[in-house]
Amino acid sequence: MTTASTSSRHRRRRREDGTTVRNWSELPDGPLHTILTCLCSFVDFISFSSVCRSWRAVTSSLSPSEITSRFPPLLLIASYTREGRVSGCRVLDPASPSFSCSLDRICSASAKFPFLTSHGRFLRSVGPARQRQHVILNPFTGEEIQSPIMPKGYTSFNRFHYTHLSSIDSALLLFTNDTVFHWRIGSSSWSCHSPRIHPSGREIVAIVNGTVYAVDSGERLFVLDLSPELHLRQLAVGGIGVGSFSFQSFLVDCGGELLFLRLVPTERIIGMQLEAFRLDLSANQARWVKMETLGNWAIFVGYWPPLPGLAVENPERWGGRSNCVYFATNENVDWPWMVIKLGEEIDTSNPESPLFNGNPGQRVKTSWVYPGL
């Protein structure tokens, strides 16, 4: 028997009734794309891409924006000991409430990574003070990336952000009291900038259409220019009253618009609610314009650590709800998120509320992620 006939026998076999059974890897792209449109969760998408090379090639043809528009992100939950070591790590899927995947195998590597940043990456510092480096861990793959040695005079960072500028361009941003450090992943050195006006407190960073925005604890908006050189500048923005108080805030890239979500008190002592603003750059002065509705979008945020939110359009296709915020909680580990309609009051005395007792629960940290994107 020839090699060709042997290969053909493996690809196609005949049933007893004479019909031919084709190999699943031989399905044409047309039916595969049809199957893709029927998937409703990112977990299903990962399973689809794992079938074989030809199926994975079909998923690779989709852009990150096409993928994120179809499925909700996964929720990464990291549990920490009192000593700041990772004791457990699991992943949940809003589109498949019964799904739960443990990453405890990775936890042996991530145990010494005390910081959880955006895109589900863990971060830690290594080396003596004058030769300090930073290591980024991807808990889904176990891959570790080590940065170059920090510039002379660097002591320690206060805030950090792992960012995706594009599908092939990632960076690590570190903030100290007076300096911003930027390392483009894969490059051999850091760039730094000491801005004239320093952000106060913990910054929240989001990237919209290639522009890096940051909001500090005083709700001042900054723009971080990465080229031709690193430069942080404050952007004067109106629309939110001076002295207006918020417990927590979030930046979100929502379909190419920058949204600013604020967690504010209501008239009741135990009540809070989420309000949303979009950045309007059409006038002479930039303004935050209050939004009465999120339309057909759903926003995903978490109380701790304060990371940029994610937006998903038409969540009803996977069983979600539009005009709602999926708020990850650190308290109720059996049901670790709450769906809150924009403007709806949150009863902080409710044990199922993500803000029950107002405790950020720093021993449990959460991050909404799209693994591999």
Side-chain angles (χ1 to χ4, degrees):
M1 181 178 294
T2 65
T3 303
S5 60
T6 302
S7 175
S8 176
R9 186 190 66 182
H10 283 295
R11 287 198 308 269
R12 303 180 184 182
R13 357 181 259 283
R14 290 188 174 275
R15 299 180 186 270
E16 293 181 358
D17 60 5
T19 59
T20 301
V21 180
R22 295 182 62 90
N23 191 316
W24 284 104
S25 64
E26 295 181 334
L27 279 179
D29 287 354
L32 289 178
H33 281 287
T34 301
I35 296 174
L36 267 180
T37 61
C38 298
L39 303 181
C40 293
S41 74
F42 196 74
V43 171
D44 290 342
F45 176 79
I46 294 174
S47 299
F48 180 98
S49 65
S50 302
V51 171
C52 60
R53 290 182 178 179
S54 60
W55 289 41
R56 185 159 53 251
V58 171
T59 61
S60 300
S61 66
L62 299 177
S63 67
S65 60
E66 289 179 300
I67 297 173
T68 56
S69 66
R70 295 168 183 253
F71 313 113
L74 304 181
L75 181 62
L76 175 66
I77 305 173
S79 302
Y80 285 78
T81 65
R82 293 183 182 274
E83 295 75 25
R85 298 172 65 90
V86 180
S87 59
C89 197
R90 62 187 180 124
V91 177
L92 303 179
D93 185 354
S96 302
S98 61
F99 172 83
S100 179
C101 175
S102 173
L103 298 180
D104 288 345
R105 179 178 61 86
I106 302 298
C107 283
S108 59
S110 64
K112 296 181 180 180
F113 286 76
F115 305 108
L116 177 62
T117 184
S118 54
H119 302 283
R121 300 304 201 270
F122 290 90
L123 180 72
R124 70 183 175 106
S125 300
V126 296
R130 294 185 178 182
Q131 293 183 314
R132 185 73 69 193
Q133 293 176 279
H134 301 287
V135 181
I136 304 169
L137 170 70
N138 183 339
F140 295 96
T141 63
E143 178 188 15
E144 294 187 13
I145 302 174
Q146 188 161 309
S147 77
I149 295 175
M150 294 299 300
K152 185 178 180 180
Y154 168 84
T155 54
S156 63
F157 63 88
N158 297 337
R159 289 88 65 193
F160 53 89
H161 305 276
Y162 178 84
T163 64
H164 278 330
L165 304 178
S166 69
S167 59
I168 59 173
D169 192 2
S170 302
L172 179 63
L173 296 172
L174 301 180
F175 291 81
T176 65
N177 290 332
D178 57 4
T179 307
V180 181
F181 295 89
H182 169 257
W183 173 52
R184 178 167 278 108
I185 305 299
S187 65
S188 59
S189 62
W190 291 83
S191 56
C192 59
H193 169 62
S194 297
R196 184 174 59 86
I197 301 176
H198 308 296
S200 60
R202 179 175 290 275
E203 299 84 6
I204 304 169
V205 172
I207 301 173
V208 180
N209 297 325
T211 301
V212 183
Y213 295 95
V215 165
D216 68 2
S217 57
E219 298 191 341
R220 296 181 299 175
L221 182 64
F222 295 83
V223 174
L224 182 62
D225 300 315
L226 301 180
S227 63
E229 61 182 7
L230 191 66
H231 180 74
L232 184 70
R233 53 189 170 90
Q234 185 178 356
L235 185 63
V237 184
I240 298 178
V242 177
S244 176
F245 174 77
S246 66
F247 292 100
Q248 181 65 285
S249 57
F250 309 91
L251 288 182
V252 187
D253 175 7
C254 184
E257 284 193 313
L258 180 66
L259 301 192
F260 185 35
L261 267 64
R262 304 173 75 237
L263 181 64
V264 298
T266 62
E267 295 181 355
R268 292 201 309 158
I269 297 177
I270 60 173
M272 298 184 192
Q273 66 180 9
L274 284 164
E275 58 182 17
F277 298 81
R278 65 175 179 84
L279 182 62
D280 182 6
L281 298 172
S282 61
N284 292 332
Q285 181 187 15
R287 291 186 59 82
W288 289 118
V289 178
K290 189 169 184 179
M291 303 173 65
E292 299 302 325
T293 176
L294 295 173
N296 60 339
W297 291 86
I299 306 296
F300 294 78
V301 298
Y303 191 85
W304 193 265
L307 301 174
L310 298 174
V312 176
E313 194 174 14
N314 299 322
E316 282 76 14
R317 71 178 308 275
W318 46 265
R321 293 168 54 189
S322 295
N323 192 37
C324 287
V325 177
Y326 284 70
F327 204 126
T329 172
N330 305 116
E331 297 295 330
N332 188 348
V333 295
D334 294 326
W335 193 256
W337 66 76
M338 185 178 185
V339 184
I340 306 169
K341 186 177 180 180
L342 188 68
E344 180 180 69
E345 184 177 72
I346 306 169
D347 184 357
T348 58
S349 65
N350 180 357
E352 295 186 358
S353 164
L355 305 175
F356 179 59
N357 288 334
N359 186 348
Q362 295 186 33
R363 289 179 60 187
V364 176
K365 300 178 182 180
T366 58
S367 177
W368 293 100
V369 297
Y370 285 103
L373 300 182

